[in-house]
Amino acid sequence: LEYRGYDSAGIATVSTRGLELVKRQGKLERLERALRVERPSGTTGLGHTRWATHGVPSDANAHPHLDCRRRIAVVHNGILENFTELKARLGRQGHRFRSQTDTELIAHLLEERYRGSLAASLRQVSRLLRGQYVIVAACADEPDLVVGIRQGPPLLVGAGKGENFLSSDIPALLPSTRRIQDLDDGMMAEIRPDGIRITDARGRRVPLKPQEITWSAAQAQKGDFETFMLKEIHEQPEALENTLTGRLDPAAFARELGLTSGRLKAFDRVHFVACGTAWHAALVGRHWMETVAGVPATAEIASEFRYADPILTKRSLVVAVTQSGETADTLAAVRLARERGAATLSICNVVGSSIPRASDGVLYTRAGPEIGVASTKAYTTQLMALMLLGTHLGRLRGRLPASRARHLLGQLRKSSEWVRRILSRPTDRALVAGLKRTRNVLFIGRHVNGATALEGALKLKEISYVHAEGYLGGELKHGPLAMIEKGLPVVAVLQDGPLFAKMLSHIQQVKARGGFIIAVASAGVRVPGADRILPIPAADPLLSPLLAIVPLQRFAYEMARARSRDIDHPRNLATSVTVE
Ligand code: M6R
């Protein structure tokens, strides 16, 4: 699971010699090299890839962490909020720390309470911890056992044959099993080669009910592509087809949503909640909800929504948009919405993950595993799902004439072929060669493509580290125009229709100050003032975000490549953000 953290990694095995530990700062390949030399043994073990919270990336701070006697090994995701007081207390009790991490404290707390049962001591220790965490532990005195407990970040059980697993994400399990169960908060799993025991926060037995995951192990591999991101960009046509399949029939779609038609008709407001790229999809979805379904809608950043005291009623629908289904802020937003009596629906890529389980209904995007940190196919399939939802509500509420619905759904059907066409064009390497030393790029768009501008800018900054900003074109003259100087690259995303002429005026304002315009526009359309055009097929303007983002994903990719960036491991980021 290197994409979840790559500043250090380590493993511990339980062998006849006790616990064997190998840890290395840096990417996983450094650990792999060390393992070839140190060759730990044993068939029970823990591994971890770290995204630093407490303490710099270093060998010592890498997980697993051990207690003083080196009998208990622990890995952990999340943050312990009472770290300082626990550390002071353990220090007074004579425990010696080898790292600066909060995780190590858990090993010492387990050492204090261990009386022959790792599971019992982990349950006791969990009551002392504040914050969000997943802990997995093994003990040299119980060599066939691994125990995990969840309070926040994801923890999955993988049921194998003569072997069983715990993991924080599905791809790690796929080479061994597709029978996977996601645990709820408070649950603990004890894993032995021949059995899995799950208990809830009160110690009551919970039945094992694994879901069959349809993703294949090959889908979680790079194949012939140089990076996961490039593979995922090219998987978009198929991902879009999969997300659409079987969903054009309104009755079947309604059944899948899990919310009754009566309820769907009664909503008077939709709140989309999401983070990052998924929020950009939500911004588009919000426009679609208003234009296509006639329901007032907002798109809110989940980390703000959860603290904003939102006004929600029984007639509010809160739609969480999320690839992983585990983003901590989005999950908290959904829980808050439910507490306040709103109906909740998630648009999610990972079957059985926490956010769909916390929601009243779910619409899965069927993008397959997204391993690249920079989201691509998750975004376009989220857009597809949002338009399906918008048209469904529009028809249900009598707001969308049948002919318009047919037209929009027809466009959705064509979208995968259109994306394929965009991807079949060679990328503009000369453009990238000319821009690779640029320090700033501005992206502008209007209405639905305001979100495309934001998403294009996010893609560029996160993988190439070029400073990029996305703006609504109409806002240029209210401040950002001051940034324009000779040669500043400005990416203008144009859609056909009434806003086309407005975008042309923005382009002229930029040109007048020496900016260099890269326009994303329908093929064959003349864009006066553009220095370069990245063409896309001429779709309905409302649906153009689904296409317009694709050349921008490729542009960001080529810029990152030209700047020799580690595209699948952008600095400081991880693909799923399960801490606040
Ligand atoms: O799994 P989620 O969709 O909830 O993740 C939300 C964001 O962390 C995510 O979209 C992030 O912004 C992208 N990976 C960036 O490309």
Side-chain angles (χ1 to χ4, degrees):
L1 293 182
E2 194 178 22
Y3 59 89
R4 296 183 63 113
Y6 32 85
D7 57 43
S8 51
I11 71 160
T13 58
V14 185
S15 76
T16 46
R17 294 191 291 249
L19 287 176
E20 298 186 49
L21 183 69
V22 186
K23 313 200 285 187
R24 286 295 180 276
Q25 189 249 315
K27 290 177 58 184
L28 210 49
E29 62 199 17
R30 291 202 62 223
L31 177 68
E32 282 174 323
R33 275 204 299 276
L35 288 171
R36 281 197 284 274
V37 178
E38 300 190 25
R39 306 181 71 82
S41 58
T43 58
T44 301
L46 313 173
H48 188 264
T49 56
R50 180 166 184 251
W51 186 85
T53 59
H54 291 69
V56 295
S58 67
D59 286 0
N61 286 336
H63 302 204
H65 291 284
L66 306 185
D67 66 318
C68 297
R69 296 180 312 130
R70 299 180 65 90
R71 303 296 290 170
I72 295 172
V74 169
V75 296
H76 155 232
N77 284 343
I79 295 177
L80 301 188
E81 287 167 5
N82 52 344
F83 163 78
T84 314
E85 62 195 75
L86 288 174
K87 187 163 186 174
R89 201 176 84 207
L90 287 163
R92 282 198 300 277
Q93 287 165 342
H95 290 271
R96 288 283 178 77
F97 305 115
R98 302 182 188 94
S99 76
Q100 302 155 308
T101 63
D102 50 352
T103 306
E104 188 186 347
L105 306 184
I106 303 167
H108 295 285
L109 289 169
L110 287 170
E111 177 183 12
E112 292 264 302
R113 278 163 185 75
Y114 188 73
R115 303 280 179 277
S117 165
L118 185 61
S121 48
L122 184 55
R123 179 62 78 193
Q124 287 173 27
V125 165
S126 71
R127 296 195 183 107
L128 305 174
L129 307 177
R130 278 208 313 270
Q132 300 280 299
Y133 54 80
V134 152
I135 300 163
V136 176
C139 176
D141 299 329
E142 296 174 80
D144 275 347
L145 173 71
V146 175
V147 186
I149 191 163
R150 171 182 183 162
Q151 191 59 52
L155 181 61
L156 313 176
V157 172
K161 291 205 175 85
E163 52 176 8
N164 291 305
F165 308 87
L166 290 170
S167 173
S168 36
D169 212 346
I170 295 172
L173 298 174
L174 292 176
S176 310
T177 180
R178 299 228 200 108
R179 297 181 60 232
I180 293 171
Q181 180 167 343
D182 200 338
L183 299 187
D184 286 331
D185 278 353
M187 283 187 183
M188 174 189 270
E190 295 158 63
I191 303 295
R192 294 184 172 80
D194 54 358
I196 296 170
R197 184 169 188 273
I198 303 176
T199 46
D200 67 12
R202 292 163 66 184
R204 291 174 305 201
R205 193 80 189 253
V206 175
L208 179 70
K209 281 195 200 139
Q211 302 215 19
E212 191 73 29
I213 301 294
T214 53
W215 298 354
S216 70
Q219 278 181 295
Q221 308 290 324
K222 270 194 294 215
D224 293 335
F225 288 92
E226 61 188 19
T227 60
F228 277 109
M229 182 180 175
L230 190 61
K231 175 177 179 251
E232 289 159 10
I233 288 175
H234 283 272
E235 280 172 347
Q236 288 180 108
E238 200 188 330
L240 287 168
E241 270 155 24
N242 291 341
T243 302
L244 191 62
T245 302
R247 285 170 165 167
L248 293 175
D249 170 41
F253 189 73
R255 273 195 302 279
E256 192 184 346
L257 280 185
L259 291 169
T260 62
S261 299
R263 226 164 157 201
L264 286 172
K265 274 190 205 158
F267 296 124
D268 61 5
R269 178 163 284 276
V270 175
H271 300 256
F272 291 100
V273 292
C275 300
T277 290
W279 178 63
H280 298 154
L283 286 171
V284 180
R286 178 236 132 173
H287 281 299
W288 288 347
M289 190 53 72
E290 295 194 333
T291 312
V292 175
V295 190
T298 53
E300 296 163 62
I301 294 178
S303 53
E304 290 298 312
F305 180 86
R306 63 184 290 193
Y307 293 113
D309 199 11
I311 296 168
L312 300 170
T313 69
K314 281 199 173 55
R315 298 185 65 197
S316 316
L317 173 65
V318 172
V319 181
V321 186
T322 172
Q323 188 285 127
S324 63
E326 301 293 350
T327 300
D329 286 316
T330 311
L331 179 58
V334 169
R335 288 187 174 146
L336 174 73
R338 288 195 79 167
E339 270 165 38
R340 296 197 169 189
T344 52
L345 176 74
S346 50
I347 292 181
C348 181
N349 194 39
V350 181
V351 173
S353 54
S354 302
I355 294 172
R357 283 186 294 123
S359 312
D360 299 312
V362 56
L363 180 58
Y364 284 113
T365 51
R366 302 181 190 132
E370 190 174 70
I371 311 272
V373 172
S375 202
T376 52
K377 62 178 180 172
Y379 179 70
T380 42
T381 53
Q382 281 161 357
L383 293 182
M384 169 76 83
L386 286 161
M387 183 46 101
L388 284 170
L389 181 65
T391 47
H392 183 70
L393 285 185
R395 282 187 296 197
L396 205 63
R397 300 165 72 99
R399 274 296 298 239
L400 185 65
S403 58
R404 179 78 179 137
R406 261 198 312 279
H407 165 75
L408 289 172
L409 295 174
Q411 294 265 302
L412 279 189
R413 228 186 268 119
K414 287 185 197 152
S415 63
S416 56
E417 193 42 47
W418 282 335
V419 170
R420 208 168 268 129
R421 208 181 297 163
I422 300 172
L423 292 172
S424 69
R425 292 178 65 92
T427 50
D428 192 339
R429 293 231 160 120
L431 171 69
V432 169
L435 294 181
K436 76 175 191 186
R437 288 201 179 76
T438 192
R439 293 166 64 90
N440 295 295
V441 179
L442 190 62
F443 289 71
I444 53 171
R446 296 290 302 254
H447 193 244
V448 281
N449 281 314
T452 312
L454 293 178
E455 175 61 6
L458 176 62
K459 286 290 91 78
L460 183 64
K461 72 183 120 185
E462 71 181 325
I463 57 169
S464 75
Y465 317 152
V466 173
H467 173 245
E469 274 195 78
Y471 256 96
L472 288 160
E475 280 291 287
L476 266 187
K477 54 190 171 300
H478 299 291
L481 264 188
M483 291 286 298
I484 311 290
E485 55 190 12
K486 194 166 174 348
L488 181 90
V490 178
V491 177
V493 187
L494 297 97
Q495 66 254 33
D496 303 336
L499 286 168
F500 186 81
K502 302 290 165 207
M503 282 299 295
L504 290 186
S505 322
H506 304 322
I507 289 174
Q508 290 314 318
Q509 289 165 2
V510 171
K511 286 303 283 182
R513 290 156 182 89
F516 178 84
I517 295 285
I518 303 153
V520 179
S522 296
V525 167
R526 225 175 62 79
V527 184
D531 296 287
R532 282 289 207 292
I533 294 192
L534 305 176
I536 56 171
D540 186 290
L542 215 49
L543 278 161
S544 59
L546 231 166
L547 308 181
I549 192 56
V550 179
L552 300 184
Q553 295 166 343
R554 297 178 92 198
F555 173 65
Y557 189 89
E558 291 301 333
M559 286 285 281
R561 208 164 172 272
R563 292 162 66 91
S564 307
R565 300 303 188 206
D566 185 349
I567 294 175
D568 278 339
H569 304 117
R571 65 187 178 202
N572 310 333
L573 300 178
T575 197
S576 108
V577 185
T578 55
V579 291
E580 200 179 338

